[in-house]
Amino acid sequence: MSLIPDENVRGGSLFKDISADDEDWQPTVIESLCMNCYKNGTTRLLLTKIPFFKEIIVSSFSCDHCSWANTEIQSAGRIQDQGICYTLQIKSKQDLNREVVKADSATTRIPELEFEIPPFTQKGSLSTIEGLLDRAVAGLEQEQPVRRATDPEVAEKIEEFIQKLKKLKDVEREFTLVIEDPSGNSFVENPQAPQKDEALTVTRFKRSIEQDKMLGIRADDDDSVQEEGAADDLEGMMGEVMVFKTNCPECNASTSTNMKLVQIPHFKEVVIMATSCDSCGHRTNEVKSGGGTEELGTRITLHITSSSDMTRDLLKSETCSVLIPELEFELGMAAVGGKFTTVEGMLTDIKELTVSKNPFMCGDSHSKEQMKKMTEFAEKLDKIIAGEMAVHLVLDDPVGNSYLQNVHVPDPDPQITMEKYTRTFEQNEELGLNDMKVEGYQEESLTELAFD
């Protein structure tokens, strides 16, 4: 018997959005062994989608013989290109209600208690901060009866630590929660959205060789440094459309990606990649710089005064942050990837990302206060697009690979301010530049070739 629902019956997609109106979409029920009493119990599997977390498999087990039950989630989506780390300063009990998606590959830490939950020691979960603390307490309490009988001293120390964990829920003093996930599939809610959450820091990082092995995307005996492919001759590729096979990021069906090198006037070459899936209709496009990392970062500020500014071409690299100071809004790097669009297109993407596709603005997760805040934010964006509201749009790119069209070229544009700045150590660390060796690289490579 197949455990996977028939795609033809489900309308061509294994994973569907949760909906109370879809009566045909039922979980798959199978008989499975209970690991508590070793009799047969029942497992229910539900394949569904959660925005910002791709596809997931929700499984629930229950045993009628011993009443043991267990629930967990597993990510069915692809491993992201970069890992992600959330650092949250918990200052009040309200912060404990933040929703959290914790993948099984994530490491959870509370530095103040020197407490850490290593990866793959817990199953993935969709919970809250309070739920994560309760789960940690339950895990420590599980073996306490045995410890009290075999090693009372250790049991007493663990009991003291359990009380410290329980006391965190009273939030008598501020503490830090860190969730680091090399797969990039974990998520922590920002209740201040679309405004920046001052208590939450989100950073993305390049996985190490050991992390790739841990996730199973690199062989255990493969210690080679894998570098992103680059064209040997960019000029020869100019104007040529290259096609290569790939898998759809939504349904994982086989599809094709078109890639073309384009020269942006008064800027540099960029690589445009577009993917269209015939199976599920998903379409995506991404832009990457054809050049290297600039010596200085770039901060471009556009003073939007009318609807005519909406037609300006805009290139946002994947390392670029977008800010609108008047709305106290900040969109972090890699949130929408690299894009070559217009100012109107960028604002529209921001509206869709923060309002239309926000999972906490629909169903049981949303509150009236949050919905009101989001609606007001969407209305302000509509006014900016219509030219009824003057604001500043800031593109802050530490790599210097973002661009905004100057309509007065070759003369300076009075509405655009461009600032060059030196990257901080933290920015270089996040971009992986501190450990990058560039001195003597060519000489060493030639020496190796000479002795091969």
Side-chain angles (χ1 to χ4, degrees):
M1 180 183 68
S2 175
L3 303 183
I4 304 298
D6 186 356
E7 290 194 25
N8 296 326
V9 176
R10 301 305 182 193
S13 177
L14 290 176
F15 299 88
K16 300 183 68 174
D17 297 327
I18 293 178
S19 174
D21 299 329
D22 191 353
E23 298 180 357
D24 295 333
W25 187 242
Q26 300 293 335
T28 301
V29 181
I30 59 175
E31 190 175 304
S32 55
L33 181 67
C34 175
M35 301 307 296
N36 187 49
C37 67
Y38 298 101
K39 296 182 179 180
N40 284 339
T42 303
T43 297
R44 291 175 171 82
L45 299 175
L46 179 65
L47 284 68
T48 186
K49 294 180 180 178
I50 294 181
F52 298 131
F53 193 46
K54 304 290 183 181
E55 302 87 357
I56 65 168
I57 301 174
V58 183
S59 65
S60 174
F61 175 83
S62 61
C63 179
D64 295 332
H65 302 283
C66 65
S67 300
W68 189 70
N70 180 40
T71 60
E72 64 180 75
I73 69 168
Q74 294 181 351
S75 173
R78 68 182 181 89
I79 295 175
Q80 304 303 309
D81 295 333
Q82 292 180 309
I84 196 165
C85 180
Y86 293 91
T87 303
L88 175 64
Q89 299 294 327
I90 299 176
K91 303 177 181 179
S92 65
K93 288 187 176 181
Q94 189 175 1
D95 289 328
L96 299 178
N97 296 327
R98 292 173 183 251
E99 297 193 30
V100 177
V101 174
K102 176 186 173 296
D104 52 5
S105 58
T107 300
T108 305
R109 293 193 295 270
I110 302 177
E112 288 80 359
L113 298 184
E114 297 183 356
F115 175 68
E116 178 176 316
I117 302 175
F120 298 107
T121 57
Q122 288 184 346
K123 297 295 184 180
S125 63
L126 174 60
S127 180
T128 61
I129 302 295
E130 184 176 4
L132 290 180
L133 295 176
D134 288 338
R135 192 178 184 187
V137 170
L140 292 173
E141 289 180 336
Q142 186 174 0
E143 301 295 330
Q144 278 295 83
V146 178
R147 295 191 191 99
R148 292 190 181 97
T150 59
D151 198 337
E153 185 177 348
V154 173
E156 183 179 353
K157 291 181 179 179
I158 292 180
E159 184 62 33
E160 292 177 0
F161 189 82
I162 289 174
Q163 296 306 317
K164 291 181 180 179
L165 277 177
K166 290 182 177 179
K167 199 171 182 181
L168 289 180
K169 295 198 296 183
D170 297 330
V171 198
E172 294 179 355
R173 62 177 182 176
E174 180 180 328
F175 68 95
T176 307
L177 178 71
V178 181
I179 297 179
E180 182 178 336
D181 183 10
S183 75
N185 281 330
S186 293
F187 180 78
V188 177
E189 177 191 6
N190 172 13
Q192 307 298 328
Q195 279 77 32
K196 180 182 179 181
D197 191 342
E198 298 296 338
L200 181 64
T201 303
V202 183
T203 57
R204 289 173 172 80
F205 59 89
K206 186 176 181 180
R207 284 185 294 270
S208 64
I209 295 177
E210 290 73 19
Q211 289 173 327
D212 281 343
K213 292 180 180 179
M214 180 185 69
L215 294 173
I217 58 178
R218 183 192 290 254
D220 291 339
D221 57 352
D222 182 9
D223 293 326
S224 61
V225 178
Q226 296 180 350
E227 298 181 355
E228 296 184 1
D232 295 332
D233 188 0
L234 293 179
E235 293 183 1
M237 292 177 55
M238 191 70 66
E240 178 184 355
V241 178
M242 301 181 64
V243 182
F244 56 90
K245 294 292 183 180
T246 185
N247 290 338
C248 174
E250 288 295 324
C251 68
N252 206 37
S254 179
T255 184
S256 299
T257 294
N258 297 328
M259 183 177 72
K260 184 178 181 180
L261 186 66
V262 178
Q263 173 70 48
I264 297 180
H266 310 289
F267 189 53
K268 61 176 68 175
E269 301 91 355
V270 297
V271 180
I272 300 178
M273 295 181 292
T275 303
S276 179
C277 179
D278 296 332
S279 299
C280 67
H282 177 73
R283 302 178 65 184
T284 181
N285 64 79
E286 187 176 1
V287 176
K288 291 183 178 292
S289 172
T293 301
E294 300 291 335
E295 294 184 3
L296 299 175
T298 304
R299 186 177 294 109
I300 307 173
T301 303
L302 170 66
H303 186 200
I304 300 176
T305 57
S306 66
S307 59
S308 61
D309 293 322
M310 297 296 108
T311 60
R312 292 174 182 260
D313 290 332
L314 180 150
L315 171 63
K316 175 197 171 299
S317 76
E318 57 186 4
T319 58
C320 179
S321 300
V322 181
L323 300 89
I324 305 179
E326 288 81 0
L327 303 186
E328 297 181 355
F329 171 80
E330 179 176 349
L331 185 69
M333 67 170 64
V336 293
K339 282 187 174 294
F340 183 47
T341 179
T342 61
V343 173
E344 181 178 1
M346 188 74 254
L347 295 176
T348 302
D349 286 340
I350 291 174
K351 180 180 176 181
E352 290 182 356
L353 180 67
T354 57
V355 182
S356 305
K357 297 181 180 180
N358 192 327
F360 303 108
M361 292 299 105
C362 58
D364 298 333
S365 300
H366 83 283
S367 65
K368 292 183 178 179
E369 183 179 353
Q370 285 179 317
M371 182 61 72
K372 181 181 178 181
K373 185 189 301 183
M374 286 298 188
T375 302
E376 292 176 351
F377 179 77
E379 291 175 351
K380 290 179 181 178
L381 286 179
D382 289 336
K383 289 183 179 180
I384 296 173
I385 294 174
E388 299 174 1
M389 183 176 180
V391 297
H392 291 82
L393 180 69
V394 183
L395 304 178
D396 191 346
D397 188 358
V399 174
N401 283 333
S402 294
Y403 162 82
L404 186 62
Q405 182 184 11
N406 174 4
V407 295
H408 297 278
V409 72
D411 298 325
D413 193 322
Q415 293 178 238
I416 294 180
T417 303
M418 183 175 294
E419 174 189 355
K420 296 285 186 178
Y421 62 89
T422 303
R423 287 184 293 270
T424 63
F425 178 86
E426 290 74 16
Q427 287 175 319
N428 283 331
E429 185 72 17
E430 186 173 354
L431 294 169
L433 299 178
N434 289 331
D435 299 326
M436 185 177 293
K437 181 180 179 181
V438 294
E439 295 83 3
Y441 177 79
Q442 185 175 5
E443 289 78 2
E444 289 182 7
S445 300
L446 292 175
T447 303
E448 293 175 0
L449 288 173
F451 285 95
D452 281 345

